Amino acid sequence: MTSAPTVSAAGLTLRYGRTAALDDVTLGLGEGVTGLLGPNGAGKTSLLRVLATAVPADRGAFTVLGHDPATAAGRREARRRLGYLPQNPGFHPEFTAFAFVDYVAILKELTDRGARHREVRRVLEAVDLTDVRGKRIKRLSGGMRQRVALAAALVGDPGVLLLDEPTVGLDPEQRMRFRELIADAGASRTVLLSTHQTEDVAMLCHRVIVMARGRVRFAGTPAELTAKAAGRVWIGTERDPGARAGWRTGLGTFRNVGDPPKGADLLEPTLEDGYLLVLDGEPAEVASV
Amino acid sequence: MRDDRHDGTGWHADIDDLRAYARGELRAPRLWSVDTHLVTCATCRGTLAEVSDPPALDAGWERLDAELDAPRPGFVEGLLLRIGVADHTARLLLATPVLRASWLGAVLLVLAMTVASVYTSDSPVLFLALAPLLPLAGVALSYGPALDPTHELAIVAPLHGFRLLMTRTIAVLVASLGLNGLATLALPGYGLRALAWLVPALALTATGLALTARLGPVLAPALVSGGWVALLMVTEATTHGMLAAFTGPGQGVAAAVAVLAACVLHRMRDRFDASPVPSPFTHFARRSTS
């Protein structure tokens, strides 16, 4: 992505007691979908909460479409341009899907009743929930609730969308449907997608950031992350004790990832192989996103 | 809506209103009346079609569809709209977590028990001591993640957090003070003395909110409640049952505290917009996420 970053962050640090949830995080995001990969406790949710202006960083600064949330006026302008889907989106369960999105639209300053209702219909249609708009949220499935939360995030057509593990708990069909929606959303805006699942990144993202222990360990394209494992994946008849990761495949052979022995039978790496190697003690490598 | 057309099947919308509706120029509240009427009246829908040009008619149907999807105002919301509260403000008020039947029922139960205790003990002290705490508890519970499932979404919304807090505070105060007032009517024998809870209630609520800016939505009201109970116990012990807070000078001090706390709260209003206010409990909640 060669366009100017829509979100730029420098030196973001956030501590909870002695634990550094974010440790000097510097990054830039452009248009399209950027994947944010990392294990539990890596700092993904903390990063999204800081960028969403839900919690201030202890140190560092960032801008959203040129607006600095450190000032009251900048924060308000940034919030007008942000859509945020939290990890555990809360609902008023007695509200219908329409009423809930309508409520969020009011929080987003859409006070004109007619214009607000048109916007609510637009976003519910965008996530394919028009048919259940009158149903109470407590009667919707988990996948539908996630789509209601995504619709709420899309209200006001924000330029930056922050999605915190939106596909967790969804069955494969729902996950695929959600991926389509995220891809559509990323066609004309910046989307930062936090996820555990490397398939999400492989299928959706043009850029990927890997975090561990509050630090950015890798930033680049999915192809560059996959290339980190080039020549470092091999197949054998048993788990290689020198491998950093290894597992028995369905064919009875062992797929090993790490530093291969001489003469090893090398395999084409996947994005997950690259991710495993980046997490496993590789030196931090941060490229411009 | 002026219902000045009649054809034997009932009253119908004014033709000028329908023309303005078709052009998208009809303004609320008449717009809402026509919207509602069109849902049930085929005759007026036909008239609307006759007075509309096709693009304007399509826009009208779209607006009508949106109106059909819109949440139906309940009794309280309808009442608020009728007294002139803007529809978006009314919806914010209705989403206040503690303005639910369960919370209001619990408050009523507590008040009924306290009023009953006044009759058995022949003293209004328990009622006067407890009544100021109920608005404080209601306001405390209407802000923060404890009871508001959409707290995170509200925090990151451009609507200023202090404005949302004040909107909900006023709603909770009206409900709580109203219930307290009803309970006071059940104690006619004590005259105006039974209303001595009112100023302390405002003082405790304002102090609780001002401290929330620094201590968080759990610790601040807990400290204020504990301080209130401790104050009553100390003054009762040192003045042989005479509770200073309910005397004339005590009411004056409570009023001064209320004003001072309101000023402090206003000065700290941006703290309700920047982030969740830190407290031992919010700290724990933050730690539990990655």
Side-chain angles (χ1 to χ4, degrees):
Chain A
M1 186 67 50
T2 54
S3 60
T6 48
V7 177
S8 297
L12 292 178
T13 299
L14 180 68
R15 302 190 73 85
Y16 300 135
R18 291 181 180 174
T19 307
L22 296 178
D23 186 3
D24 195 23
V25 170
T26 295
L27 54 83
L29 306 176
E31 268 194 9
V33 184
T34 298
L36 182 60
L37 277 173
N40 283 332
K44 304 188 301 293
T45 291
S46 295
L47 177 60
L48 261 68
R49 294 190 77 212
V50 167
L51 295 179
T53 74
V55 60
D58 297 325
R59 283 206 311 274
F62 70 102
T63 58
V64 177
L65 294 166
H67 299 282
D68 179 5
T71 67
R75 189 165 51 247
R76 193 171 187 193
E77 290 302 319
R79 285 174 174 173
R80 285 175 173 157
R81 290 157 178 80
L82 279 169
Y84 176 43
L85 195 163
Q87 192 175 45
N88 300 303
F91 299 100
H92 293 294
E94 295 299 324
F95 278 17
T96 63
F98 191 100
F100 176 76
V101 178
D102 187 51
Y103 170 69
V104 173
I106 292 169
L107 292 175
K108 290 189 171 186
E109 300 178 312
L110 297 182
T111 53
D112 181 84
R113 180 184 164 99
R116 190 175 76 241
H117 287 175
R118 281 195 294 279
E119 176 66 359
V120 173
R121 284 166 62 83
R122 183 188 73 79
V123 294
L124 285 174
E125 192 177 338
V127 299
D128 201 15
L129 282 182
T130 302
D131 290 345
V132 297
R133 60 192 183 273
K135 271 196 174 179
R136 289 185 194 277
I137 288 175
K138 66 182 178 185
R139 302 200 184 282
L140 298 180
S141 68
M144 284 183 174
R145 288 184 193 195
Q146 281 295 76
R147 277 148 66 189
V148 172
L150 179 62
L154 288 170
V155 166
D157 196 17
V160 176
L161 202 54
L162 305 171
L163 309 176
D164 197 353
E165 301 194 11
T167 56
V168 165
L170 303 186
D171 64 40
E173 189 181 344
Q174 290 174 328
R175 206 157 54 232
M176 197 54 72
R177 176 77 189 107
F178 219 86
R179 282 177 183 148
E180 289 176 21
L181 296 174
I182 294 169
D184 288 347
S188 58
R189 57 167 68 83
T190 298
V191 177
L192 181 57
L193 169 68
S194 166
T195 179
H196 282 296
Q197 300 182 16
T198 49
E199 315 103 85
D200 283 346
V201 174
M203 291 186 184
L204 281 172
C205 303
H206 77 292
R207 305 289 292 182
V208 57
I209 296 171
V210 179
M211 289 186 73
R213 296 182 185 180
R215 296 185 73 89
V216 173
R217 304 294 294 272
F218 172 89
T221 65
E224 288 166 347
L225 181 56
T226 304
K228 301 290 275 182
R232 301 181 70 185
V233 184
W234 70 99
I235 199 155
T237 54
E238 57 188 25
R239 189 191 191 287
D240 193 312
R244 292 183 175 176
W247 60 93
R248 186 189 177 93
T249 68
L251 299 174
T253 54
F254 283 80
R255 183 185 177 91
N256 297 294
V257 181
D259 296 321
K262 280 187 179 172
D265 189 4
L266 294 177
L267 294 175
E268 277 296 309
T270 64
L271 188 134
E272 187 163 75
D273 298 325
Y275 170 60
L276 287 172
L277 286 171
V278 164
L279 284 185
D280 191 27
E282 287 282 312
E285 179 180 331
V286 182
S288 170
V289 180
Chain B
M1 176 170 42
R2 282 171 293 154
D3 292 326
D4 57 358
R5 294 191 303 127
H6 190 274
D7 64 355
T9 61
W11 293 99
H12 299 292
D14 179 75
I15 192 92
D16 291 335
D17 281 353
L18 288 175
R19 286 197 181 100
Y21 183 89
R23 292 193 302 270
E25 294 171 357
L26 194 62
R27 295 282 166 253
R30 186 161 288 184
L31 170 66
W32 304 338
S33 302
V34 172
D35 268 337
T36 307
H37 181 71
L38 283 170
V39 171
T40 57
C41 182
T43 305
C44 284
R45 288 199 294 272
T47 309
L48 177 66
E50 290 168 13
V51 300
S52 306
D53 61 274
L57 186 60
D58 287 345
W61 290 136
E62 190 187 333
R63 206 164 49 242
L64 185 57
D65 279 349
E67 189 60 30
L68 287 170
D69 294 339
R72 298 284 103 194
F75 173 74
V76 178
E77 190 175 0
L79 200 63
L80 290 170
L81 293 174
R82 266 193 285 278
I83 63 173
V85 176
D87 92 290
H88 54 92
T89 305
R91 292 222 65 83
L92 282 183
L93 290 175
L94 267 291
T96 303
V98 299
L99 291 183
R100 303 264 165 77
S102 53
W103 165 259
L104 297 175
V107 170
L108 269 176
L109 184 66
V110 170
L111 283 171
M113 289 169 67
T114 355
V115 167
S117 81
V118 172
Y119 282 101
T120 53
S121 66
D122 200 23
S123 164
V125 168
L126 184 60
F127 172 69
L128 292 177
L130 191 72
L133 291 175
L134 296 176
L136 171 67
V139 169
L141 289 172
S142 69
Y143 177 79
L147 273 191
D148 184 0
T150 59
H151 178 74
E152 184 103 330
L153 290 177
I155 279 288
V156 302
L159 182 77
H160 199 291
F162 186 71
R163 191 177 153 204
L164 182 62
L165 174 72
M166 285 298 100
T167 303
R168 290 181 169 175
T169 296
I170 290 168
V172 173
L173 277 181
V174 167
S176 300
L177 299 183
L179 291 176
N180 280 2
L182 285 177
T184 305
L185 291 177
L187 303 169
Y190 293 94
L192 280 179
R193 201 152 65 99
L195 265 178
W197 54 267
L198 179 58
V199 182
L202 296 174
L204 293 185
T205 304
T207 307
L209 284 175
L211 288 180
T212 293
R214 280 214 173 273
L215 302 176
V218 176
L219 189 58
L223 279 178
V224 171
S225 303
W228 170 248
V229 172
L231 176 74
L232 294 182
M233 291 174 75
V234 167
T235 55
E236 186 182 30
T238 55
T239 57
H240 306 289
M242 179 70 177
L243 292 181
F246 306 123
T247 62
Q251 295 279 298
V253 170
V257 168
V259 171
L260 181 67
C263 291
V264 172
L265 177 62
H266 189 257
R267 282 180 66 87
M268 301 178 94
R269 60 191 180 280
D270 278 346
R271 281 180 176 257
F272 292 92
D273 191 46
S275 65
V277 181
S279 79
F281 295 92
T282 51
H283 184 76
F284 175 79
R286 284 169 64 173
R287 191 197 299 269
S288 67
T289 59
S290 68

